[in-house]
Amino acid sequence: MKKNEFDKVLLAHGGGGQLSDQFIHDHILPRFKNTTLTELTDAAKLNLDSKSLCFTTDSYVIKPLFFHGGNIGKLAVCGTINDLAVSGSKPVALSLALIIEEGFPFDSLEKILDSIAETASQNNVSIVTGDTKTVESGAADGIFINTAGIGVRLEGVELGFNKIAAGDVIIISGSIGDHGMTIMSQRQDIGFHSRIKSDCAALADLTCKLLTSTKGIKFMRDPTRGGLAATLNEIVRQTDLSILLNELDIPINPTVQAAADALGLDILNIANEGKFVAVVSPEIALECIRICKIHPLGIQASVIGKIVETKDVPVVEMTTKIGGRRIVQMPYGRDLPRIC
Amino acid sequence: MKKNEFDKVLLAHGGGGQLSDQFIHDHILPRFKNTTLTELTDAAKLNLDSKSLCFTTDSYVIKPLFFHGGNIGKLAVCGTINDLAVSGSKPVALSLALIIEEGFPFDSLEKILDSIAETASQNNVSIVTGDTKTVESGAADGIFINTAGIGVRLEGVELGFNKIAAGDVIIISGSIGDHGMTIMSQRQDIGFHSRIKSDCAALADLTCKLLTSTKGIKFMRDPTRGGLAATLNEIVRQTDLSILLNELDIPINPTVQAAADALGLDILNIANEGKFVAVVSPEIALECIRICKIHPLGIQASVIGKIVETKDVPVVEMTTKIGGRRIVQMPYGRDLPRIC
């Protein structure tokens, strides 16, 4: 890789002229090279295995940019892969759009780009198209990244809120709150962050295994912003069915719980970046857990609750550790910006 | 559409909780409703007509957000449609990702969203998936928008630098510099901006007509950042062929030229947002011009130059109005940030 002659990003790196060109040829193409991207056309040409696709987008504005367990680049690849994965597809191609503040250190940018390349390659997805914009110092906070993604839908897999029925079982693929609490701890400098680590990971390998080797998975979602509480409340809202959760069954890293307690946060509202919630037929629940547990990203998978019919307003209700019951509400959202 | 209870965007509107949810249900879904988007899954499910696609992305950071002839919303739809169009595809689906600064006025946001909805609908593309992030006041400049797009490739159409040959003819679909000079004039307040107007427009209808009714179009590109100069220099770089331009044949609005002269800018470097450059076989050039001229976006279409073999270093060379010759260089990029 050609060493950059600048140590900071200039406005001209996003101006569409010589310096933009040099940036793409020196820093983007060598990292992400594939025949589609290298053509440098206005749009990537893709030949896919199916006409039935998933398409998603996310912008990443996380602060801090580097955190224990990852950085904004790794997150931007994993997050978009996960949205494709939980929609029942095999991720194949990503776009990459950077908005960079003038003066952003080139060595940080290179670390982020390296992470993007490494994570994409580990997960067999290609970065096939992209864009770089620069804005004046003060007009953005370091770097914002958008990735959009295309996945090829797995044959015979139909996931959706409308498949969910009373009696279905809710599975979480592992411990909750790790990503959000790592970020919060780093921001607040409360001293936990050396002992906790973001779960930032790409789930497609595990979800594809589950979806192709079982029949009866109804719905999947990765509980990011808003955490498990937001995902479960969205299920209730869309299905008009209630959920009964069992707090004791929810895997939580004790240090993560301690950090949440120290900051007065409800761990159920905290973002995850390497976990999925699955709603499955009761008869395949154990098989799903078995498949998860032999995968590095599903070792702590657990059945945490079930879908139930209700005559009242449907809610998420949780049996607490001490045997009480409480309603788990949709988080309001005030505490949670820039977590991803 | 439900009237918003807030007059400014709050951080919580992007937090993934209740307010995010309310924002999506009150402001996004009513504007962009289509069955795919309304499912609110993590990724849109698309069933396309072909396995052969184009895929592109662009972030829009334009300043000012509202300009004569458009706003960042219209631009974000047109720009991405155009990238798909000049790649030889029919645009079908867009993603929409917003990064909004806390405190951004809701009425401006609604105008932008209305423009996005209107422009997408006029061009028969659906907004099928999206994302909203908020950042603290001062961490972004108002609003940044990313759109990624999917187009279905037109059958039998193969565009690429590698198709270009000596003798091919270069066409521009209309006057150059209108977008960039409108933005610059507004920024510098030089008094031209009431008389000039961005050319911001979606070109897919015209490009699809051209590509399906002729055989012999080799390459197309929309000369955005870096203007006509950047596009032509990129052709030279990728083909190792030279270009001869004829300045007198390049359509330029005289007020736009005056504005460029007033600011000391070379109009060839100025961004366009509703024009394409096409490289075509000489025998179909007149037919292409004829098709353009009966379309509202191609009335000023013109043959502006040709591709020539060279034994020296290949360059873009222009015969000037007064009969001289000059080399047209790749712009450096310093003057041109935040033009799109």
Side-chain angles (χ1 to χ4, degrees), chain B residues 134-148:
Chain B
T134 48
V135 297
E136 320 86 277
S137 175
D141 191 5
I143 185 169
F144 300 144
I145 299 181
N146 177 282
T147 50

Side-chain angles (χ1 to χ4, degrees), chain A residues 278-293:
Chain A
V279 182
V280 311
S281 296
E283 58 274 18
I284 64 157
L286 288 180
E287 174 63 4
C288 288
I289 295 290
R290 191 193 64 76
I291 295 169
C292 285
K293 283 186 176 293

Side-chain angles (χ1 to χ4, degrees), chain A residues 6 10-22 25 38-61 63 82-84 86-87 93-99 128-136 138-141 144-146 148-150 153 158-161 219-222 225-226 230 234 237-238 329-334 336-338 340, chain B residues 6 10-22 25 38-61 63 82-84 86-87 93-99 128-136 138-141 144-146 148-150 153 158-161 219-222 225-226 230 234 237-238 329-334 336-338 340:
Chain A
F6 304 98
L10 308 182
L11 274 178
H13 282 111
Q18 279 179 39
L19 266 194
S20 288
D21 206 55
Q22 190 180 320
H25 283 89
T38 310
E39 285 184 27
L40 286 181
T41 44
D42 291 285
K45 289 169 192 159
L46 299 180
N47 288 304
L48 302 179
D49 291 339
S50 165
K51 294 178 186 176
S52 184
L53 306 182
C54 284
F55 179 35
T56 193
T57 187
D58 257 317
S59 294
Y60 299 86
V61 297
K63 186 180 176 176
N82 290 348
D83 281 342
L84 295 171
V86 297
S87 302
L94 295 186
S95 64
L96 173 65
L98 310 172
I99 298 175
V128 295
T129 187
D131 177 52
T132 303
K133 293 291 188 322
T134 47
V135 297
E136 319 86 277
D141 191 5
F144 299 144
I145 299 181
N146 178 282
I150 293 178
R153 290 182 67 190
E158 279 292 339
L159 304 176
F161 291 116
F219 176 82
M220 291 180 127
R221 175 160 285 185
D222 55 331
R225 278 179 292 177
E234 184 65 16
R237 176 193 184 123
Q238 297 278 346
Q329 287 190 305
M330 179 66 108
Y332 184 70
R334 201 176 285 281
L336 314 168
R338 303 195 64 183
C340 60
Chain B
F6 303 97
L10 308 182
L11 274 178
H13 282 112
Q18 280 178 39
L19 267 195
S20 288
D21 206 54
Q22 191 181 319
H25 283 88
T38 311
E39 284 184 26
L40 286 180
T41 43
D42 291 284
K45 289 169 192 158
L46 298 180
N47 288 303
L48 302 179
D49 291 339
S50 166
K51 295 179 186 175
S52 184
L53 305 182
C54 283
F55 179 35
T56 192
T57 188
D58 257 316
S59 294
Y60 299 85
V61 298
K63 186 179 178 175
N82 290 348
D83 282 341
L84 295 171
V86 298
S87 302
L94 295 186
S95 63
L96 173 65
L98 310 172
I99 299 175
V128 295
T129 188
D131 177 51
T132 303
K133 292 291 189 323
T134 48
V135 297
E136 320 86 277
D141 191 5
F144 300 144
I145 299 181
N146 177 282
I150 293 178
R153 289 183 68 190
E158 279 290 340
L159 304 176
F161 290 115
F219 176 82
M220 291 179 127
R221 175 159 286 184
D222 55 331
R225 278 179 293 177
E234 184 66 16
R237 178 194 182 120
Q238 296 278 346
Q329 286 191 303
M330 179 67 110
Y332 185 71
R334 200 176 285 279
L336 313 167
R338 301 195 66 183
C340 60

Side-chain angles (χ1 to χ4, degrees), chain A residues 233-244:
Chain A
N233 273 283
E234 184 65 16
I235 293 173
V236 164
R237 176 193 184 123
Q238 297 278 346
T239 60
D240 270 332
L241 295 165
S242 277
I243 288 177
L244 284 182

Side-chain angles (χ1 to χ4, degrees), chain B residues 67 75 82 124 143 165 193 196 202 215 241 244 276 287 332:
Chain B
F67 49 85
L75 184 66
N82 290 348
N124 296 313
I143 185 169
H193 62 271
I196 61 180
K215 292 248 173 275
L241 295 165
L244 284 183
F276 63 79
E287 174 63 3
Y332 185 71

